[in-house]
């Protein structure tokens, strides 16, 4: 069991769970583990736009410099940009301060190795053991302390990287694009990238004030974007989340396009171009059964993993896939990035739109999603999924769905919530089995 790390780094209430003391120890522990060799070690640190980012950044700097690591501060930058810059700047470790799509009161710490990939479970456990131990004897001497420096050119580096994921002859000329940056980390780089590629860009969610990240904007609150696309008769809307590692698309009709449809559109295009490194893609247990049927109809396979883009990526790396992602919009294209990149995923989709010369609605509506219902049950303590009544309810629900549907029950990795999801051809049956399981979990949790 991990004490601090969840499915995506360390996350919690700022100055509650994510305190300066914890951030200091994370910096010290990670710094000690990633000091390998006799060279001068360095770490890059990026953040989103939350007020608490200043506090956590300062504490991390103190931690890393106290064990002799030099720190390069990037300021507000997307998570995938931090991963890319960790490799590009030849750093020993990368850190992103963000709680992704959570409200501003939360924050988190995500760690990347020198290869730009998120850390595996074993490394996170090793860091945890140091955090909970005594590191005072391993601190650097007075002459060996690290230095900190703010880097100013990183926005241009990431913009150029994002543009180069498209062939040079591909432009976005003639496309009217509304981009919603969630008042988050991509508020500068995303509109600039789209504009430099030739699109007519209308930007919303680009006025961060420390408190308004993800507030009624972004991929988890796309209603403002939908309204703006319809109002301006735009060709497409792009909604990023607070750290820009996930994306949601809105077509010219104002209809939302989730990660499943986006992956389907790209997979079909890449299959035609023989760009898939394996005959299929990787998704999680939450992706719609309609995606699986569509992919199978193309002669491809869909591999499923546990929820979390890190598990998708692990399967991709182990088995040689170059396309994968989550229904929520974490899309991983390993030809370009080592983590989910909302902007790059959007650019790849727009390149398909330009090539096919069709509206976004026709390109992205690949399949009819099966009725899918997800409900959350909050609990305070204990393990309600182990209760006999819950085990019985789950077994009964699976029997009722049979081969025509799926049931997925899992605890959230970031909050005390049990997620109950079912899907199938019969919407009424799906609703009934979800309610039955939710009722059983709720009683057990009480």
């Amino acid at each position: 069991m991990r004490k601090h790390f969840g499915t995506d780094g360390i996350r919690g209430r700022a100055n509650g769970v994510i305190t300066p003391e914890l951030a200091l120890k994370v910096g010290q522990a990670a710094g000690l583990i990633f000091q390998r060799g006799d060279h001068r070690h360095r770490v890059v640190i990026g953040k989103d736009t939350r007020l608490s980012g200043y506090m956590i950044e300062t504490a991390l700097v103190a931690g890393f410099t106290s064990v002799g690591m030099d720190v390069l501060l990037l300021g507000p930058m997307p998570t995938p940009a931090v991963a890319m810059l960790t490799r590009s700047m030849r750093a020993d470790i990368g850190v992103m301060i963000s709680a992704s799509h959570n409200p501003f009161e939360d924050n988190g710490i995500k760690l990347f190795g020198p290869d730009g990939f998120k850390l595996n479970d074993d490394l996170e456990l090793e860091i945890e053991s140091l955090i909970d131990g005594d590191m005072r004897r391993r601190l650097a001497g007075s002459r060996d302390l690290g230095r900190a420096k703010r880097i100013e050119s990183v926005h241009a580096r990431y913009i150029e990287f994002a543009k180069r994921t498209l062939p040079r002859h591909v432009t976005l000329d003639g496309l009217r694009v509304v981009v919603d940056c969630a008042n988050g980390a991509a508020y500068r780089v995303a509109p600039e990238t789209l504009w430099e590629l030739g699109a007519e860009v209308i930007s919303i969610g680009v006025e961060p004030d420390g408190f308004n990240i993800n507030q009624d904007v972004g991929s988890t609150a796309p209603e403002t974007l939908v309204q703006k696309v319809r109002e301006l008769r735009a060709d497409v809307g792009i909604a990023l989340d607070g750290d820009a590692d996930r994306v949601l698309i809105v077509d010219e009709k104002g209809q939302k396009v989730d990660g499943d449809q986006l992956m389907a559109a790209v997979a079909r295009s890449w299959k035609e171009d023989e760009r898939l490194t394996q005959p299929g893609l990787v998704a999680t247990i939450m992706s719609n059964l309609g995606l699986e049927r569509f992919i199978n109809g193309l002669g491809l396979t869909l591999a499923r993993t546990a929820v979390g883009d890190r598990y998708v990526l692990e399967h991709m790396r182990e088995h040689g896939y170059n396309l994968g992602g989550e229904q929520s919009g974490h899309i991983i294209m390993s030809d370009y990035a080592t983590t989910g990149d909302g902007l790059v995923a959007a650019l790849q989709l727009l390149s398909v739109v330009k090539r096919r010369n069709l509206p976004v609605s026709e390109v992205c509506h690949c399949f009819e999603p099966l009725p899918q219902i997800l409900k959350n049950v909050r609990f305070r303590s204990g393990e309600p999924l182990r209760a006999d009544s819950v085990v019985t309810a789950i077994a009964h629900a699976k029997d009722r769905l049979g081969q025509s549907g799926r049931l997925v029950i899992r605890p959230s990795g970031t909050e005390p919530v049990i997620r109950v999801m079912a899907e199938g051809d019969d919407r009424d049956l799906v609703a009934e089995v979800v309610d039955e399981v939710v009722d059983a979990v709720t009683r057990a949790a009480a």
Side-chain angles (χ1 to χ4, degrees), residues 5 8 38 105 144 178 186 204 250 253 259 280 287 304 311 382 411 413:
F5 285 91
D8 194 16
D38 297 327
E105 294 92 345
D144 298 320
V178 183
I204 59 178
V250 173
K253 298 177 182 179
S287 279
R304 291 187 184 269
Y311 301 115

Side-chain angles (χ1 to χ4, degrees), residues 21-84:
E21 292 84 1
L22 177 61
L24 174 76
K25 290 182 177 180
V26 170
Q28 291 174 332
L32 288 170
I33 286 173
F34 280 89
Q35 287 193 36
R36 300 165 179 175
D38 297 327
H39 64 278
R40 191 73 187 175
H41 294 83
R42 59 169 57 171
V43 54
V44 298
I45 300 179
K47 61 181 179 179
D48 63 24
T49 56
R50 296 164 209 269
L51 177 65
S52 56
Y54 294 102
M55 173 189 76
I56 298 167
E57 179 185 63
T58 303
L60 283 168
V61 169
F64 281 113
T65 54
S66 73
V67 294
M69 291 195 85
D70 292 335
V71 180
L72 304 178
L73 297 170
L74 308 179
M77 287 292 288
T79 288
V82 174
M84 182 273 290

Side-chain angles (χ1 to χ4, degrees), residues 208-287:
D209 60 10
F211 305 99
N212 60 1
I213 188 170
N214 301 314
Q215 184 178 326
D216 301 323
V217 286
S219 61
T220 53
E223 291 74 22
T224 302
L225 177 63
V226 168
Q227 181 179 348
K228 187 65 72 173
V229 167
R230 288 174 173 164
E231 174 190 331
L232 299 176
R233 297 183 179 179
D235 297 297
V236 64
I238 300 170
L240 304 171
D241 68 339
D243 68 336
D245 65 351
R246 70 164 70 179
V247 64
L248 180 141
I249 300 295
V250 173
D251 68 22
E252 79 283 357
K253 298 177 182 179
Q255 299 172 328
K256 290 174 279 189
V257 178
D258 66 11
D260 284 349
Q261 295 281 9
L262 199 160
M263 284 189 287
V266 173
R268 178 172 58 191
S269 177
W270 284 15
K271 180 180 185 294
E272 293 170 356
D273 295 342
E274 298 183 347
R275 291 180 57 189
L276 292 172
T277 54
Q278 290 292 334
L281 67 149
V282 183
T284 75
I285 54 176
M286 300 301 284
S287 279

Side-chain angles (χ1 to χ4, degrees), residues 383-405:
E383 296 180 319
L385 291 182
R386 292 181 177 272
D388 291 342
S389 58
V390 174
V391 172
T392 301
I394 291 173
H396 182 247
K398 288 182 176 179
D399 287 341
R400 292 190 65 190
L401 287 172
Q403 297 298 314
S404 65

Side-chain angles (χ1 to χ4, degrees), residues 100 114 141 146 187 192 195 280 290 345 390 393 418 427 431:
S100 191
Y187 78 99
E192 183 75 14
W195 178 81
V390 174
I418 302 294
R427 177 177 290 276

Side-chain angles (χ1 to χ4, degrees), residues 116-157:
F117 289 98
K118 292 179 180 178
L119 306 188
N120 59 37
D121 291 347
D122 291 339
L123 277 172
E124 288 182 347
L125 284 170
E126 195 175 343
I127 290 172
E128 285 201 353
S129 67
L130 286 177
I131 289 173
D132 295 331
D134 187 352
M135 293 179 280
R136 286 177 295 180
R137 293 184 179 180
R138 300 183 64 181
L139 299 182
S142 299
R143 288 185 175 273
D144 298 320
L145 295 172
R147 301 173 185 267
K149 178 181 180 181
R150 194 163 295 277
I151 307 298
E152 301 296 340
S153 62
V154 289
H155 295 95
R157 288 195 190 197

